[in-house]
PDB file of all heavy atoms in Angstrom:
ATOM      1  N   PHE L   1       0.836  -1.192   0.000  1.00  0.00           N
ATOM      2  CA  PHE L   1       0.000   0.000   0.000  1.00  0.00           C
ATOM      3  C   PHE L   1       0.875   1.247   0.000  1.00  0.00           C
ATOM      4  O   PHE L   1       1.738   1.434   0.846  1.00  0.00           O
ATOM      5  CB  PHE L   1      -0.936   0.035   1.211  1.00  0.00           C
ATOM      6  CG  PHE L   1      -1.887   1.196   1.141  1.00  0.00           C
ATOM      7  CD1 PHE L   1      -3.071   1.081   0.448  1.00  0.00           C
ATOM      8  CD2 PHE L   1      -1.563   2.408   1.733  1.00  0.00           C
ATOM      9  CE1 PHE L   1      -3.946   2.160   0.356  1.00  0.00           C
ATOM     10  CE2 PHE L   1      -2.428   3.491   1.646  1.00  0.00           C
ATOM     11  CZ  PHE L   1      -3.622   3.361   0.951  1.00  0.00           C
ATOM     12  N   ASP L   2       0.627   2.113  -0.981  1.00  0.00           N
ATOM     13  CA  ASP L   2       1.372   3.360  -1.106  1.00  0.00           C
ATOM     14  C   ASP L   2       0.430   4.393  -1.721  1.00  0.00           C
ATOM     15  O   ASP L   2      -0.230   4.112  -2.716  1.00  0.00           O
ATOM     16  CB  ASP L   2       2.597   3.146  -2.011  1.00  0.00           C
ATOM     17  CG  ASP L   2       3.482   4.367  -2.077  1.00  0.00           C
ATOM     18  OD1 ASP L   2       3.646   5.045  -1.044  1.00  0.00           O
ATOM     19  OD2 ASP L   2       4.004   4.652  -3.168  1.00  0.00           O
ATOM     20  N   LEU L   3       0.372   5.568  -1.122  1.00  0.00           N
ATOM     21  CA  LEU L   3      -0.534   6.617  -1.578  1.00  0.00           C
ATOM     22  C   LEU L   3       0.249   7.899  -1.795  1.00  0.00           C
ATOM     23  O   LEU L   3       1.053   8.297  -0.953  1.00  0.00           O
ATOM     24  CB  LEU L   3      -1.628   6.862  -0.531  1.00  0.00           C
ATOM     25  CG  LEU L   3      -2.516   8.093  -0.728  1.00  0.00           C
ATOM     26  CD1 LEU L   3      -3.443   7.901  -1.911  1.00  0.00           C
ATOM     27  CD2 LEU L   3      -3.312   8.374   0.537  1.00  0.00           C
ATOM     28  N   PHE L   4       0.005   8.538  -2.917  1.00  0.00           N
ATOM     29  CA  PHE L   4       0.499   9.892  -3.171  1.00  0.00           C
ATOM     30  C   PHE L   4      -0.718  10.740  -3.502  1.00  0.00           C
ATOM     31  O   PHE L   4      -1.515  10.378  -4.371  1.00  0.00           O
ATOM     32  CB  PHE L   4       1.492   9.936  -4.335  1.00  0.00           C
ATOM     33  CG  PHE L   4       1.807  11.350  -4.738  1.00  0.00           C
ATOM     34  CD1 PHE L   4       2.676  12.117  -3.992  1.00  0.00           C
ATOM     35  CD2 PHE L   4       1.188  11.919  -5.842  1.00  0.00           C
ATOM     36  CE1 PHE L   4       2.938  13.438  -4.344  1.00  0.00           C
ATOM     37  CE2 PHE L   4       1.441  13.236  -6.206  1.00  0.00           C
ATOM     38  CZ  PHE L   4       2.324  13.990  -5.455  1.00  0.00           C
ATOM     39  N   LEU L   5      -0.855  11.869  -2.806  1.00  0.00           N
ATOM     40  CA  LEU L   5      -1.994  12.747  -3.033  1.00  0.00           C
ATOM     41  C   LEU L   5      -1.521  14.190  -2.962  1.00  0.00           C
ATOM     42  O   LEU L   5      -0.840  14.583  -2.006  1.00  0.00           O
ATOM     43  CB  LEU L   5      -3.071  12.487  -1.974  1.00  0.00           C
ATOM     44  CG  LEU L   5      -4.430  13.145  -2.140  1.00  0.00           C
ATOM     45  CD1 LEU L   5      -5.066  12.804  -3.474  1.00  0.00           C
ATOM     46  CD2 LEU L   5      -5.342  12.725  -1.000  1.00  0.00           C
ATOM     47  N   ASP L   6      -1.842  14.950  -3.978  1.00  0.00           N
ATOM     48  CA  ASP L   6      -1.487  16.367  -4.052  1.00  0.00           C
ATOM     49  C   ASP L   6      -2.794  17.147  -4.118  1.00  0.00           C
ATOM     50  O   ASP L   6      -3.548  17.024  -5.092  1.00  0.00           O
ATOM     51  CB  ASP L   6      -0.632  16.609  -5.301  1.00  0.00           C
ATOM     52  CG  ASP L   6       0.060  17.948  -5.294  1.00  0.00           C
ATOM     53  OD1 ASP L   6       0.087  18.610  -4.236  1.00  0.00           O
ATOM     54  OD2 ASP L   6       0.571  18.346  -6.356  1.00  0.00           O
ATOM     55  N   ILE L   7      -3.084  17.950  -3.077  1.00  0.00           N
ATOM     56  CA  ILE L   7      -4.343  18.682  -2.969  1.00  0.00           C
ATOM     57  C   ILE L   7      -4.038  20.174  -2.963  1.00  0.00           C
ATOM     58  O   ILE L   7      -3.210  20.635  -2.178  1.00  0.00           O
ATOM     59  CB  ILE L   7      -5.109  18.310  -1.683  1.00  0.00           C
ATOM     60  CG1 ILE L   7      -5.312  16.799  -1.588  1.00  0.00           C
ATOM     61  CG2 ILE L   7      -6.440  19.045  -1.623  1.00  0.00           C
ATOM     62  CD1 ILE L   7      -5.827  16.338  -0.242  1.00  0.00           C
ATOM     63  N   ASN L   8      -4.711  20.922  -3.838  1.00  0.00           N
ATOM     64  CA  ASN L   8      -4.520  22.373  -3.912  1.00  0.00           C
ATOM     65  C   ASN L   8      -5.847  23.070  -3.652  1.00  0.00           C
ATOM     66  O   ASN L   8      -6.830  22.815  -4.347  1.00  0.00           O
ATOM     67  CB  ASN L   8      -3.982  22.770  -5.287  1.00  0.00           C
ATOM     68  CG  ASN L   8      -2.597  22.222  -5.509  1.00  0.00           C
ATOM     69  OD1 ASN L   8      -1.662  22.620  -4.836  1.00  0.00           O
ATOM     70  ND2 ASN L   8      -2.466  21.296  -6.440  1.00  0.00           N
ATOM     71  N   PHE L   9      -5.854  23.921  -2.640  1.00  0.00           N
ATOM     72  CA  PHE L   9      -7.013  24.734  -2.303  1.00  0.00           C
ATOM     73  C   PHE L   9      -6.760  26.158  -2.777  1.00  0.00           C
ATOM     74  O   PHE L   9      -5.659  26.672  -2.613  1.00  0.00           O
ATOM     75  CB  PHE L   9      -7.230  24.800  -0.784  1.00  0.00           C
ATOM     76  CG  PHE L   9      -7.681  23.519  -0.160  1.00  0.00           C
ATOM     77  CD1 PHE L   9      -6.750  22.581   0.269  1.00  0.00           C
ATOM     78  CD2 PHE L   9      -9.021  23.260   0.036  1.00  0.00           C
ATOM     79  CE1 PHE L   9      -7.150  21.409   0.865  1.00  0.00           C
ATOM     80  CE2 PHE L   9      -9.431  22.089   0.632  1.00  0.00           C
ATOM     81  CZ  PHE L   9      -8.500  21.156   1.050  1.00  0.00           C
ATOM     82  N   LYS L  10      -7.762  26.786  -3.330  1.00  0.00           N
ATOM     83  CA  LYS L  10      -7.632  28.213  -3.607  1.00  0.00           C
ATOM     84  C   LYS L  10      -7.649  28.957  -2.279  1.00  0.00           C
ATOM     85  O   LYS L  10      -6.854  29.863  -2.051  1.00  0.00           O
ATOM     86  CB  LYS L  10      -8.765  28.685  -4.518  1.00  0.00           C
ATOM     87  CG  LYS L  10      -8.616  30.109  -4.949  1.00  0.00           C
ATOM     88  CD  LYS L  10      -9.650  30.499  -5.979  1.00  0.00           C
ATOM     89  CE  LYS L  10      -9.407  31.937  -6.419  1.00  0.00           C
ATOM     90  NZ  LYS L  10     -10.380  32.332  -7.432  1.00  0.00           N
ATOM     91  N   LYS L  11      -8.553  28.531  -1.385  1.00  0.00           N
ATOM     92  CA  LYS L  11      -8.674  29.100  -0.036  1.00  0.00           C
ATOM     93  C   LYS L  11      -8.939  27.962   0.922  1.00  0.00           C
ATOM     94  O   LYS L  11      -9.599  26.986   0.572  1.00  0.00           O
ATOM     95  CB  LYS L  11      -9.839  30.093   0.039  1.00  0.00           C
ATOM     96  CG  LYS L  11      -9.722  31.268  -0.880  1.00  0.00           C
ATOM     97  CD  LYS L  11     -10.959  32.137  -0.793  1.00  0.00           C
ATOM     98  CE  LYS L  11     -10.859  33.304  -1.774  1.00  0.00           C
ATOM     99  NZ  LYS L  11     -12.041  34.158  -1.712  1.00  0.00           N
ATOM    100  N   ILE L  12      -8.425  28.096   2.148  1.00  0.00           N
ATOM    101  CA  ILE L  12      -8.670  27.086   3.164  1.00  0.00           C
ATOM    102  C   ILE L  12      -8.869  27.787   4.505  1.00  0.00           C
ATOM    103  O   ILE L  12      -8.248  28.818   4.772  1.00  0.00           O
ATOM    104  CB  ILE L  12      -7.517  26.053   3.225  1.00  0.00           C
ATOM    105  CG1 ILE L  12      -7.910  24.845   4.050  1.00  0.00           C
ATOM    106  CG2 ILE L  12      -6.235  26.684   3.727  1.00  0.00           C
ATOM    107  CD1 ILE L  12      -6.959  23.666   3.874  1.00  0.00           C
ATOM    108  N   LYS L  13      -9.743  27.257   5.327  1.00  0.00           N
ATOM    109  CA  LYS L  13      -9.998  27.831   6.643  1.00  0.00           C
ATOM    110  C   LYS L  13      -8.975  27.288   7.635  1.00  0.00           C
ATOM    111  O   LYS L  13      -8.765  26.081   7.736  1.00  0.00           O
ATOM    112  CB  LYS L  13     -11.408  27.494   7.110  1.00  0.00           C
ATOM    113  CG  LYS L  13     -12.474  28.146   6.271  1.00  0.00           C
ATOM    114  CD  LYS L  13     -13.857  27.775   6.742  1.00  0.00           C
ATOM    115  CE  LYS L  13     -14.903  28.402   5.833  1.00  0.00           C
ATOM    116  NZ  LYS L  13     -16.251  27.926   6.150  1.00  0.00           N
ATOM    117  N   PHE L  14      -8.335  28.187   8.362  1.00  0.00           N
ATOM    118  CA  PHE L  14      -7.272  27.823   9.301  1.00  0.00           C
ATOM    119  C   PHE L  14      -7.774  26.834  10.356  1.00  0.00           C
ATOM    120  O   PHE L  14      -7.104  25.866  10.664  1.00  0.00           O
ATOM    121  CB  PHE L  14      -6.712  29.082   9.969  1.00  0.00           C
ATOM    122  CG  PHE L  14      -5.459  28.827  10.745  1.00  0.00           C
ATOM    123  CD1 PHE L  14      -4.247  28.681  10.083  1.00  0.00           C
ATOM    124  CD2 PHE L  14      -5.472  28.734  12.125  1.00  0.00           C
ATOM    125  CE1 PHE L  14      -3.076  28.455  10.779  1.00  0.00           C
ATOM    126  CE2 PHE L  14      -4.313  28.508  12.830  1.00  0.00           C
ATOM    127  CZ  PHE L  14      -3.105  28.361  12.159  1.00  0.00           C
ATOM    128  N   LYS L  15      -8.972  27.079  10.888  1.00  0.00           N
ATOM    129  CA  LYS L  15      -9.509  26.210  11.936  1.00  0.00           C
ATOM    130  C   LYS L  15      -9.733  24.790  11.437  1.00  0.00           C
ATOM    131  O   LYS L  15      -9.615  23.836  12.196  1.00  0.00           O
ATOM    132  CB  LYS L  15     -10.815  26.782  12.497  1.00  0.00           C
ATOM    133  CG  LYS L  15     -10.600  27.967  13.383  1.00  0.00           C
ATOM    134  CD  LYS L  15     -11.902  28.429  14.001  1.00  0.00           C
ATOM    135  CE  LYS L  15     -11.646  29.615  14.910  1.00  0.00           C
ATOM    136  NZ  LYS L  15     -12.862  30.068  15.575  1.00  0.00           N
ATOM    137  N   GLU L  16     -10.047  24.627  10.161  1.00  0.00           N
ATOM    138  CA  GLU L  16     -10.283  23.293   9.616  1.00  0.00           C
ATOM    139  C   GLU L  16      -8.990  22.501   9.477  1.00  0.00           C
ATOM    140  O   GLU L  16      -8.994  21.277   9.561  1.00  0.00           O
ATOM    141  CB  GLU L  16     -11.006  23.396   8.278  1.00  0.00           C
ATOM    142  CG  GLU L  16     -12.433  23.840   8.432  1.00  0.00           C
ATOM    143  CD  GLU L  16     -13.176  23.954   7.124  1.00  0.00           C
ATOM    144  OE1 GLU L  16     -12.623  23.557   6.080  1.00  0.00           O
ATOM    145  OE2 GLU L  16     -14.320  24.435   7.150  1.00  0.00           O
ATOM    146  N   ILE L  17      -7.875  23.186   9.262  1.00  0.00           N
ATOM    147  CA  ILE L  17      -6.592  22.503   9.119  1.00  0.00           C
ATOM    148  C   ILE L  17      -6.207  21.815  10.413  1.00  0.00           C
ATOM    149  O   ILE L  17      -5.755  20.670  10.428  1.00  0.00           O
ATOM    150  CB  ILE L  17      -5.478  23.498   8.729  1.00  0.00           C
ATOM    151  CG1 ILE L  17      -5.808  24.205   7.432  1.00  0.00           C
ATOM    152  CG2 ILE L  17      -4.132  22.791   8.632  1.00  0.00           C
ATOM    153  CD1 ILE L  17      -4.918  25.402   7.162  1.00  0.00           C
ATOM    154  N   PHE L  18      -6.374  22.522  11.514  1.00  0.00           N
ATOM    155  CA  PHE L  18      -5.906  22.024  12.802  1.00  0.00           C
ATOM    156  C   PHE L  18      -7.045  21.642  13.737  1.00  0.00           C
ATOM    157  O   PHE L  18      -6.886  21.626  14.949  1.00  0.00           O
ATOM    158  CB  PHE L  18      -4.992  23.066  13.453  1.00  0.00           C
ATOM    159  CG  PHE L  18      -3.782  23.361  12.608  1.00  0.00           C
ATOM    160  CD1 PHE L  18      -3.707  24.535  11.874  1.00  0.00           C
ATOM    161  CD2 PHE L  18      -2.749  22.447  12.511  1.00  0.00           C
ATOM    162  CE1 PHE L  18      -2.605  24.798  11.075  1.00  0.00           C
ATOM    163  CE2 PHE L  18      -1.647  22.700  11.718  1.00  0.00           C
ATOM    164  CZ  PHE L  18      -1.571  23.877  11.001  1.00  0.00           C
ATOM    165  N   ASN L  19      -8.202  21.304  13.181  1.00  0.00           N
ATOM    166  CA  ASN L  19      -9.347  20.870  13.976  1.00  0.00           C
ATOM    167  C   ASN L  19      -9.091  19.457  14.498  1.00  0.00           C
ATOM    168  O   ASN L  19      -9.033  18.498  13.731  1.00  0.00           O
ATOM    169  CB  ASN L  19     -10.621  20.912  13.119  1.00  0.00           C
ATOM    170  CG  ASN L  19     -11.843  20.475  13.869  1.00  0.00           C
ATOM    171  OD1 ASN L  19     -11.785  20.058  15.018  1.00  0.00           O
ATOM    172  ND2 ASN L  19     -12.983  20.565  13.214  1.00  0.00           N
ATOM    173  N   THR L  20      -8.929  19.330  15.804  1.00  0.00           N
ATOM    174  CA  THR L  20      -8.599  18.029  16.400  1.00  0.00           C
ATOM    175  C   THR L  20      -9.785  17.070  16.410  1.00  0.00           C
ATOM    176  O   THR L  20      -9.636  15.926  16.819  1.00  0.00           O
ATOM    177  CB  THR L  20      -8.043  18.195  17.829  1.00  0.00           C
ATOM    178  OG1 THR L  20      -8.998  18.907  18.625  1.00  0.00           O
ATOM    179  CG2 THR L  20      -6.726  18.945  17.810  1.00  0.00           C
ATOM    180  N   ASN L  21     -10.942  17.527  15.971  1.00  0.00           N
ATOM    181  CA  ASN L  21     -12.102  16.642  15.859  1.00  0.00           C
ATOM    182  C   ASN L  21     -12.375  16.239  14.412  1.00  0.00           C
ATOM    183  O   ASN L  21     -13.393  15.634  14.120  1.00  0.00           O
ATOM    184  CB  ASN L  21     -13.349  17.315  16.454  1.00  0.00           C
ATOM    185  CG  ASN L  21     -13.215  17.507  17.953  1.00  0.00           C
ATOM    186  OD1 ASN L  21     -12.701  16.643  18.648  1.00  0.00           O
ATOM    187  ND2 ASN L  21     -13.644  18.647  18.442  1.00  0.00           N
ATOM    188  N   SER L  22     -11.469  16.588  13.502  1.00  0.00           N
ATOM    189  CA  SER L  22     -11.652  16.257  12.089  1.00  0.00           C
ATOM    190  C   SER L  22     -11.451  14.758  11.857  1.00  0.00           C
ATOM    191  O   SER L  22     -10.913  14.040  12.703  1.00  0.00           O
ATOM    192  CB  SER L  22     -10.669  17.047  11.228  1.00  0.00           C
ATOM    193  OG  SER L  22      -9.351  16.577  11.447  1.00  0.00           O
ATOM    194  N   ILE L  23     -11.866  14.305  10.699  1.00  0.00           N
ATOM    195  CA  ILE L  23     -11.713  12.886  10.344  1.00  0.00           C
ATOM    196  C   ILE L  23     -10.242  12.489  10.358  1.00  0.00           C
ATOM    197  O   ILE L  23      -9.889  11.419  10.854  1.00  0.00           O
ATOM    198  CB  ILE L  23     -12.351  12.609   8.961  1.00  0.00           C
ATOM    199  CG1 ILE L  23     -13.866  12.796   9.039  1.00  0.00           C
ATOM    200  CG2 ILE L  23     -11.992  11.226   8.468  1.00  0.00           C
ATOM    201  CD1 ILE L  23     -14.566  12.760   7.702  1.00  0.00           C
ATOM    202  N   LEU L  24      -9.369  13.369   9.845  1.00  0.00           N
ATOM    203  CA  LEU L  24      -7.934  13.071   9.820  1.00  0.00           C
ATOM    204  C   LEU L  24      -7.391  12.868  11.231  1.00  0.00           C
ATOM    205  O   LEU L  24      -6.697  11.883  11.499  1.00  0.00           O
ATOM    206  CB  LEU L  24      -7.156  14.187   9.115  1.00  0.00           C
ATOM    207  CG  LEU L  24      -5.637  14.016   9.100  1.00  0.00           C
ATOM    208  CD1 LEU L  24      -5.227  12.741   8.367  1.00  0.00           C
ATOM    209  CD2 LEU L  24      -4.969  15.235   8.490  1.00  0.00           C
ATOM    210  N   PHE L  25      -7.710  13.775  12.150  1.00  0.00           N
ATOM    211  CA  PHE L  25      -7.217  13.630  13.515  1.00  0.00           C
ATOM    212  C   PHE L  25      -7.813  12.401  14.198  1.00  0.00           C
ATOM    213  O   PHE L  25      -7.139  11.723  14.969  1.00  0.00           O
ATOM    214  CB  PHE L  25      -7.477  14.898  14.336  1.00  0.00           C
ATOM    215  CG  PHE L  25      -6.372  15.894  14.237  1.00  0.00           C
ATOM    216  CD1 PHE L  25      -6.448  16.944  13.342  1.00  0.00           C
ATOM    217  CD2 PHE L  25      -5.236  15.787  15.029  1.00  0.00           C
ATOM    218  CE1 PHE L  25      -5.423  17.868  13.229  1.00  0.00           C
ATOM    219  CE2 PHE L  25      -4.208  16.701  14.939  1.00  0.00           C
ATOM    220  CZ  PHE L  25      -4.295  17.750  14.034  1.00  0.00           C
ATOM    221  N   GLU L  26      -9.082  12.108  13.935  1.00  0.00           N
ATOM    222  CA  GLU L  26      -9.685  10.906  14.520  1.00  0.00           C
ATOM    223  C   GLU L  26      -8.986   9.647  14.002  1.00  0.00           C
ATOM    224  O   GLU L  26      -8.762   8.700  14.752  1.00  0.00           O
ATOM    225  CB  GLU L  26     -11.186  10.849  14.220  1.00  0.00           C
ATOM    226  CG  GLU L  26     -11.997  11.893  14.973  1.00  0.00           C
ATOM    227  CD  GLU L  26     -11.894  11.770  16.488  1.00  0.00           C
ATOM    228  OE1 GLU L  26     -11.832  10.642  17.025  1.00  0.00           O
ATOM    229  OE2 GLU L  26     -11.871  12.836  17.146  1.00  0.00           O
ATOM    230  N   LEU L  27      -8.628   9.645  12.723  1.00  0.00           N
ATOM    231  CA  LEU L  27      -7.889   8.526  12.143  1.00  0.00           C
ATOM    232  C   LEU L  27      -6.507   8.404  12.781  1.00  0.00           C
ATOM    233  O   LEU L  27      -6.049   7.302  13.091  1.00  0.00           O
ATOM    234  CB  LEU L  27      -7.782   8.705  10.626  1.00  0.00           C
ATOM    235  CG  LEU L  27      -7.264   7.537   9.816  1.00  0.00           C
ATOM    236  CD1 LEU L  27      -8.115   6.294  10.023  1.00  0.00           C
ATOM    237  CD2 LEU L  27      -7.235   7.904   8.339  1.00  0.00           C
ATOM    238  N   ILE L  28      -5.843   9.542  13.003  1.00  0.00           N
ATOM    239  CA  ILE L  28      -4.532   9.523  13.659  1.00  0.00           C
ATOM    240  C   ILE L  28      -4.663   9.012  15.083  1.00  0.00           C
ATOM    241  O   ILE L  28      -3.893   8.166  15.533  1.00  0.00           O
ATOM    242  CB  ILE L  28      -3.889  10.928  13.624  1.00  0.00           C
ATOM    243  CG1 ILE L  28      -3.539  11.325  12.199  1.00  0.00           C
ATOM    244  CG2 ILE L  28      -2.638  10.957  14.504  1.00  0.00           C
ATOM    245  CD1 ILE L  28      -3.142  12.788  12.037  1.00  0.00           C
ATOM    246  N   LYS L  29      -5.667   9.520  15.827  1.00  0.00           N
ATOM    247  CA  LYS L  29      -5.879   9.106  17.217  1.00  0.00           C
ATOM    248  C   LYS L  29      -6.176   7.615  17.326  1.00  0.00           C
ATOM    249  O   LYS L  29      -5.845   6.982  18.324  1.00  0.00           O
ATOM    250  CB  LYS L  29      -7.034   9.897  17.841  1.00  0.00           C
ATOM    251  CG  LYS L  29      -6.733  11.344  18.102  1.00  0.00           C
ATOM    252  CD  LYS L  29      -7.980  12.014  18.681  1.00  0.00           C
ATOM    253  CE  LYS L  29      -7.962  13.495  18.499  1.00  0.00           C
ATOM    254  NZ  LYS L  29      -9.207  14.141  18.948  1.00  0.00           N
TER     255      LYS L  29
END
């Protein structure tokens, strides 16, 4: 298993990047 993903946002909300309740953080936890 190997994944490469390149994501480009025109705009992104700062709080969403570091939201500890996001799906990404839940997956990490």
Side-chain angles (χ1 to χ4, degrees):
F1 185 86
D2 185 38
L3 169 71
F4 170 77
L5 189 56
D6 194 13
I7 306 169
N8 294 294
F9 290 88
K10 186 173 182 179
K11 299 176 182 180
I12 193 166
K13 294 179 183 173
F14 191 78
K15 286 185 179 182
E16 289 180 7
I17 301 167
F18 300 104
N19 180 356
T20 57
N21 294 320
S22 70
I23 293 171
L24 177 61
F25 271 97
E26 290 300 323
L27 190 58
I28 293 169
K29 289 178 201 175

